[in-house]
Amino acid sequence: MSSLQSSALARVKPSATLAVTAKARELKRAGRDVIGLGAGEPDFDTPDNIKQAAIAAIQRGDTKYTDVDGTPELKAAIVAKFVRENGLTYETSQIHVAPGGKAVLYNALVATLSPGDEVIVPAPYWVSYPDMVLLAGGEPVEVVGQAADGFKLKPEVLEAAITPRTKWLILNSPSNPTGAAYTRAELESLAEVLRRHPQVWVMTDDMYEHLVYGGFDYTTIAQVAPDLYERTLTVNGVSKAYAMTGWRIGYAGGPKPLIDLMRKVAGQTTSNPSSISQAAAVEALNGPQDFMAVRRAAFEKRRDLVVSMLNAAEGITCATPEGAFYVYPSAEGVMGKTTETGVVIDSDEVFARELLEAEGVAVVHGAAFGLSPFFRISYATSEDVLEEACRRIQRFCAGLT
């Protein structure tokens, strides 16, 4: 009897971040005191002006199908955003809007990958990148950004990974899971490599663009290297900066031939994003932006708290990231130790599992992101909750022998 599951789906793993969040919810429902630090979404609410724009759209009857990859109004707002914030000039015909950033990335990969095409995925990576490449028929090529290099891809490592079959490089800055962000100089050094390989396109995931700290100067590669503009897809969205994860609006700017192909994919899959969400996103991009500085300051304070407390835990070391709302601490110092219940911590997956079991703190193990022995913590929650979670991690580590 043949398998119900397709051969393409058989190559793919379930999302580890979603699995951790689901496990934490299950334990909470069972009455356990659980602190979930797995979810990658801001705890802040969507600003009121954005909500009101959505309500107004409903009331005036903007509840029908829209153009398949975005309304003219939203595309115009995105064009204005790229000019204002990134110094990038696009026509509305070069803009693609989809139900979330994940859909934008997937549409691009499905539209361009043929069997055997390779996509360079720097690790640690967002869990979905390799699996989306596999689903689209390509081959992910994982290359590691070492902790000593701030988890960032070095130009010589990129050069060594490129082959005649390389189709894309995915760049995520600031990064999920590490929070690492590329400086202008680091992007210029990667651009130097890419100039030698004109067959390689660049897909940037800039979703955490506005969440950078300590005066970090954010840039994206098409801005730094304008000569790469014609083979760069600059991906962004409203989920993180505007606390609109559930509204599901992602977007991108890129060369028109690529955008046309992505529209063709969307036309036969999701069709248009929600009309109401698109109206809200117009207000998000065009409306007041001053709330961002307040929230960014809150995230930076949380980052510093978590980094400090994790570095005080026995066997844990945690670098200070440039952006996003994640830290990616190393658990190398506890490998080989034994829990009070006799379990040997021999991997970051076991560490995360036993931490959840013993102390009710849900984190995501590093193997899910392509680099061990680390784990990811999302600090998108209150300082009180983060303090308690870090105290529990300190207690768990202190109890290992």
Side-chain angles (χ1 to χ4, degrees):
M1 183 175 171
S2 63
S3 170
L4 177 63
Q5 180 174 250
S6 72
S7 57
L9 194 60
R11 306 170 78 193
V12 171
K13 304 181 296 293
S15 167
T17 51
L18 293 179
V20 166
T21 302
K23 179 66 174 176
R25 285 178 181 151
E26 179 187 326
L27 289 172
K28 280 184 179 179
R29 283 194 295 269
R32 285 286 305 276
D33 175 18
V34 174
I35 299 175
L37 301 179
E41 64 178 348
D43 58 319
F44 297 112
D45 198 7
T46 305
D48 282 342
N49 62 304
I50 298 172
K51 294 181 185 177
Q52 291 304 317
I55 293 167
I58 294 170
Q59 289 175 334
R60 66 174 175 263
D62 287 351
T63 55
K64 310 298 184 184
Y65 294 130
T66 73
D67 292 345
V68 70
D69 65 345
T71 62
E73 294 79 10
L74 180 51
K75 288 189 175 186
I78 293 165
V79 166
K81 175 264 185 263
F82 276 130
V83 171
R84 179 178 71 243
E85 297 179 353
N86 308 110
L88 294 174
T89 302
Y90 296 104
E91 302 292 329
T92 54
S93 61
Q94 294 177 271
I95 301 298
H96 182 83
V97 185
K102 186 179 284 189
V104 175
L105 297 165
Y106 188 63
N107 288 349
L109 293 169
V110 169
T112 59
L113 292 180
S114 298
D117 285 344
E118 295 174 350
V119 178
I120 295 174
V121 182
Y125 45 70
W126 180 44
V127 293
S128 294
Y129 294 144
D131 290 309
M132 285 195 290
V133 171
L134 289 168
L135 276 173
E139 299 296 331
V141 176
E142 298 178 14
V143 290
V144 175
Q146 300 291 347
D149 298 320
F151 300 111
K152 289 180 271 192
L153 182 62
K154 301 293 282 185
E156 59 271 21
V157 176
L158 172 60
E159 183 85 64
I162 294 174
T163 75
R165 302 176 85 168
T166 305
K167 191 71 167 276
W168 287 99
L169 162 67
I170 298 178
L171 274 181
N172 177 207
S173 173
S175 157
N176 175 3
T178 66
Y182 287 88
T183 65
R184 179 181 289 269
E186 288 165 340
L187 289 175
E188 285 174 345
S189 68
L190 295 178
E192 273 301 308
V193 175
L194 292 164
R195 289 184 182 107
R196 294 192 286 274
H197 302 277
Q199 87 279 12
V200 182
W201 286 62
V202 189
M203 187 181 298
T204 75
D205 182 347
D206 298 350
M207 197 64 71
Y208 297 91
E209 166 189 16
H210 289 293
L211 299 176
V212 291
Y213 314 116
F216 184 86
D217 179 25
Y218 179 83
T219 49
T220 191
I221 198 163
Q223 178 182 10
V224 169
D227 55 311
L228 299 182
Y229 173 95
E230 288 298 335
R231 52 182 167 121
T232 299
L233 183 69
T234 303
V235 181
N236 212 313
V238 296
S239 294
K240 313 301 182 180
Y242 298 94
M244 293 176 67
T245 49
W247 298 79
R248 308 309 300 138
I249 295 291
Y251 60 81
K256 187 175 182 300
L258 172 60
I259 298 298
D260 289 345
L261 295 176
M262 293 167 65
R263 185 183 309 112
K264 188 176 179 182
V265 174
Q268 298 295 357
T269 52
T270 59
S271 194
N272 66 274
S274 159
S275 60
I276 309 307
S277 295
Q278 290 187 71
V282 171
E283 174 61 21
L285 295 174
N286 289 345
Q289 308 290 305
D290 51 339
F291 70 92
M292 277 193 206
V294 177
R295 295 183 177 187
R296 187 161 50 240
F299 277 129
E300 185 168 6
K301 193 175 177 186
R302 295 170 181 181
R303 177 200 66 171
D304 294 343
L305 168 71
V306 170
V307 169
S308 172
M309 291 190 71
L310 287 175
N311 279 320
E314 292 179 35
I316 303 297
T317 57
C318 184
T320 303
E322 293 89 354
F325 40 67
Y326 309 105
V327 290
Y328 199 64
S330 170
E332 187 170 6
V334 301
M335 290 298 112
K337 291 189 174 184
T338 304
T339 69
E340 293 174 350
T341 57
V343 177
V344 176
I345 306 292
D346 57 6
S347 69
D348 47 52
E349 186 168 6
V350 172
F351 173 85
R353 186 189 71 210
E354 292 304 310
L355 174 64
L356 178 58
E357 193 62 41
E359 293 287 351
V361 178
V363 302
V364 187
H365 61 284
F369 305 104
L371 186 63
S372 296
F374 294 84
F375 59 99
R376 190 193 78 173
I377 281 178
S378 166
Y379 53 85
T381 190
S382 72
E383 287 182 48
D384 288 346
V385 170
L386 292 170
E387 278 193 42
E388 174 60 22
C390 289
R391 276 195 294 268
R392 294 185 189 186
I393 293 171
Q394 290 173 349
R395 185 167 62 212
F396 177 73
C397 291
L400 300 174
T401 56

